Amino acid sequence: MPTLLEQLKQYSVVVADTGDLEAIRRFAPEDATTNPSLILKAVQSGQYDALIDPVLQASAGTGGDLEAIIDDACDRLVVALGCRILEAVPGRVSTEVNARLSFDTEASIAKARRLIAGYEQAGVGRDRVLIKLAATWEGIRAAEVLEREGIACNLTLIFSFVQARACAEAGVWLISPFVGRILDWYRRHQPERQDPPAQEPGVRSVQRIQRYFWQQGYRTRVMGASFRNCGEILALAGCDRLTISPELLDELASTHGLLEPVLGREPQAPAEPVAPLTEAEFRWRMNEDAMATDKLAEGIRGFEADQRRLEQLLRERLTGRR
């Protein structure tokens, strides 16, 4: 009998949620996703040491002050890592815009264009890259502009239906609604809850989003993310895409059993047209959702903290070279 991972790949596109090249090669996913936390972990692992000195040397040659050099080095490094990852996957890699730009539409657009230019200078077409942005109102508006320019986007840190809907209405290529982080919030605030994986609030949220997107005929793809256990993954079999950590990929690859897809493109009744969300509606509905508001802010702060750690690592390495 085939493994659960082999069967899962028949129903959903499997994406590696890691920058670990060895894991990517082992599990042969279609795509790979990264974020500042995963980039920091990958750099600390030593896998990419050979990339860092050339990146710092190129950035130092730009003639800017130290902080401008570090900012340039971070951009060059994430592009270099993305290019290396793309050697191991047939599809796309997601590269994230700095979390500190999450509330600045114009700065997010400028950073995304810079990252895409870096990939194109390295010979990688934009058809193999997803620009990753936090699903704030400003991030969604940035993605709307970028999509019109042919720059496909992955909107991340999605914890609510209203975020997902706003992304689809903006025409983004992909969204990443989180599962495990939603569960974390409920376990902290309602410790008496003992939901089985298939009934967890994060799983049910992604199921609702996926079914609504199919019903409305949105082109935006749904990629479940942030899993805490394999039960959550199996409960989302049939979702457009699933991005999975190496630890859970290993568990799925070593487990045999029958996997039945939970989500499928069942015939849908014609959808009623809905008016696009306004900014006021979006912000009010987010305000009404304490979990989504808490987790979005926490996620942005966490990614920014790891971005600063990465910058400090490069700063120390650069000043040490000097």
Side-chain angles (χ1 to χ4, degrees):
M1 180 176 290
T3 67
L4 292 179
L5 181 59
E6 291 169 334
Q7 294 173 77
L8 183 64
K9 288 180 177 181
Q10 298 175 23
Y11 304 116
S12 300
V13 174
V14 171
V15 178
D17 195 13
T18 183
D20 184 330
L21 287 172
E22 182 179 346
I24 292 170
R25 295 188 184 104
R26 178 184 173 195
F27 297 112
E30 179 70 19
D31 297 347
T33 59
T34 64
N35 60 45
S37 303
L38 294 175
I39 292 292
L40 176 64
K41 183 178 179 180
V43 169
Q44 290 173 330
S45 74
Q47 288 188 58
Y48 298 98
D49 280 353
L51 297 179
I52 296 177
D53 282 340
V55 160
L56 290 174
Q57 183 176 8
S59 296
T62 61
D65 61 24
L66 180 59
E67 294 313 304
I69 289 172
I70 295 303
D71 184 61
D72 182 78
C74 284
D75 290 347
R76 291 176 186 269
L77 181 61
V78 297
V79 169
L81 267 62
C83 290
R84 187 68 63 85
I85 290 170
L86 285 172
E87 295 173 1
V89 299
R92 298 175 182 252
V93 65
S94 289
T95 297
E96 191 146 352
V97 166
N98 291 359
R100 68 182 64 130
L101 304 180
S102 296
F103 302 101
D104 189 330
T105 297
E106 293 305 318
S108 293
I109 293 170
K111 179 65 76 174
R113 289 170 177 163
R114 179 177 174 81
L115 293 171
I116 287 295
Y119 274 110
E120 291 178 337
Q121 289 169 10
V124 174
R126 59 184 61 186
D127 60 317
R128 298 205 66 199
V129 181
L130 293 174
I131 292 296
K132 209 170 178 185
L133 299 149
T136 58
W137 180 259
E138 294 80 4
I140 295 168
R141 299 281 69 80
E144 187 174 34
V145 173
L146 294 167
E147 290 282 352
R148 290 200 295 264
E149 297 178 1
I151 298 173
C153 297
N154 172 2
L155 272 289
T156 188
L157 294 176
I158 288 182
F159 301 98
S160 73
F161 181 80
V162 72
Q163 287 176 288
R165 181 182 154 192
C167 290
E169 290 174 355
V172 306
W173 198 88
L174 178 71
I175 64 168
S176 296
F178 282 32
V179 175
R181 295 195 192 193
I182 292 178
L183 176 64
D184 296 343
W185 189 91
Y186 280 99
R187 282 181 169 170
R188 184 165 67 248
H189 290 83
Q190 300 176 13
E192 72 281 359
R193 289 185 65 144
Q194 296 294 328
D195 300 310
Q199 298 299 317
E200 287 178 10
V203 169
R204 294 169 69 89
S205 174
V206 177
Q207 290 174 343
R208 179 192 179 196
I209 291 167
Q210 180 70 89
R211 289 181 173 127
Y212 180 77
F213 278 24
W214 285 338
Q215 183 185 47
Q216 294 293 328
Y218 290 134
R219 75 176 187 91
T220 301
R221 299 153 183 83
V222 179
M223 181 168 71
S226 172
F227 294 107
R228 297 293 179 261
N229 56 71
C230 286
E232 295 169 339
I233 297 168
L234 300 181
L236 290 172
C239 186
D240 290 334
R241 292 168 178 252
L242 298 168
T243 182
I244 307 171
S245 69
E247 295 77 15
L248 294 179
L249 284 170
D250 185 65
E251 185 175 340
L252 291 167
S254 59
T255 304
H256 296 263
L258 181 62
L259 173 60
E260 294 287 348
V262 177
L263 288 164
R265 288 180 174 269
E266 304 91 352
Q268 300 286 340
E272 291 291 329
V274 293
L277 289 160
T278 65
E279 180 178 355
E281 289 173 322
F282 176 88
R283 294 194 185 281
W284 179 253
R285 295 190 191 186
M286 284 295 291
N287 179 72
E288 291 291 278
D289 190 333
M291 178 276 296
T293 299
D294 288 352
K295 297 306 290 185
L296 174 60
E298 179 183 272
I300 290 171
R301 288 194 300 268
F303 284 162
E304 171 60 9
D306 282 336
Q307 176 69 26
R308 290 188 182 279
R309 292 187 186 99
L310 176 62
E311 290 170 354
Q312 182 59 26
L313 185 154
L314 295 180
R315 189 177 293 108
E316 291 171 356
R317 191 147 174 171
L318 179 65
T319 54
R321 287 176 65 249
R322 288 179 172 178

